[in-house]
Structures are given as structure tokens and as C-alpha cells.
Amino acid sequence: VRLEALDEGRIWRLRLARPKGNILDTEMVAALSDVFVRARGAAGLKAIVLEGDGPHFSFGASVEEHLPGRCDAMIRGFHALFGRILDASVVTLAAVRGQCLGGGLELAAFCHRVFASPDARLGQPEIVLGVFAPVASILLAERAGRGVAEDLCVSGRTITAEEALRVGL
């Protein structure tokens, strides 16, 4: 990840810095967690803006790390990240361009506000690989309603930024 302090440290710009897909692997999730631990004690910090380097926000969690023997640690770290974001007690904003999929959408949707460019595509395609999205199943229902959450989590389809706005995502 790349962290940049703006506005005299009141705003942090946090970039997922592994283009093209900004895959959320164990290493990146740990780096994100570390930033939110630091944010908890950062005097004067008002907001963190999350965005992806390159043309896409994130293709989601590492498919390779979903394999037996590796997935337990990856899932524990990913879920712990959300606790660290809550513990930081700072406004989070997601600036989404291009693909925002799977764990990337879970991360963006967990933010207080999502700002998506017209080219953004959002979705939970991991069901196609036989993986259920536990964070999205709860988070998307809270944010956009049960019907939207079920549609995205069970169908694996992606939606445009315009449709995401219309459904409350």
C-alpha cells in the first residue's frame, strides 16, 4: 500500500498499490491493517480515502490464498481488517474506478461513503468459484437491502456505478 498525508495530515490517501488488479492478498491486508492501527492514534486525522492504483480499485482477495491450507489465515486476517477499520474511529471514503470485485467491494462498501466513477463495475463474483462472500452477505444487506445482497452474492454478476447508485450501494 502507499500512504500519503494531505491537508496537514488531516486526510490520508491510502492506495492499494499493486496494479493492475490490486489483489488483496495476506501481505496487502496486513499492510492495510497496520495503517488503520496507526490511524487510531493519529491526532488530527479526519478521514482516510481508499483507492486503487491503476485503472481498477481491486479484483478482490487472492484466489490462490483460498486454497486448502492457506485460506484460514487469509480469512482471519481479512476479517480482522474490518475490526481495525472500526477501531480507528475515522471516516473512510472509497474512490472506485474500474473493477471493484469480491473482497475489493467488501472493503469499499465497508467505508462510510463510496464514490464510483462512471466506468466502475461492482460485484461479488467469487460464488462462480464456489466461494461464498461472508462479509458481503451481511454488509451489502445492511447497505443496500437483502434483495440486492442476495442478487450480487448468489448470482456473481457485476453492476455499473449507475445501478449501484440506484440500489443504494
Side-chain angles (χ1 to χ4, degrees), residues 58-87:
S58 175
F59 290 174
S62 167
V63 173
E64 293 80 20
E65 291 183 357
H66 275 84
L67 297 175
R70 296 185 71 187
C71 65
D72 288 346
M74 182 275 301
I75 291 171
R76 271 195 309 279
F78 189 66
H79 291 174
L81 169 61
F82 295 97
R84 300 232 166 61
I85 294 170
L86 285 174
D87 290 344

Side-chain angles (χ1 to χ4, degrees), residues 105-106 122-128 131-159 163 167 169:
L105 178 54
E106 290 171 315
L122 302 94
Q124 297 296 152
E126 56 268 56
I127 195 69
V128 175
V131 178
F132 188 70
V135 174
S137 66
I138 296 167
L139 181 60
L140 296 179
E142 178 69 26
R143 186 166 191 121
R146 182 176 172 183
V148 171
E150 287 177 354
D151 174 33
L152 293 177
C153 289
V154 174
S155 74
R157 77 182 186 97
T158 60
I159 60 175
E163 186 175 356
V167 299
L169 183 56

Side-chain angles (χ1 to χ4, degrees), residues 48 50 91-96 108-115 143 169:
I48 295 177
L50 281 164
V91 172
T92 53
L93 311 167
V96 175
F110 198 74
C111 292
H112 292 94
R113 294 286 183 267
V114 178
F115 299 91
R143 186 166 191 121
L169 183 56

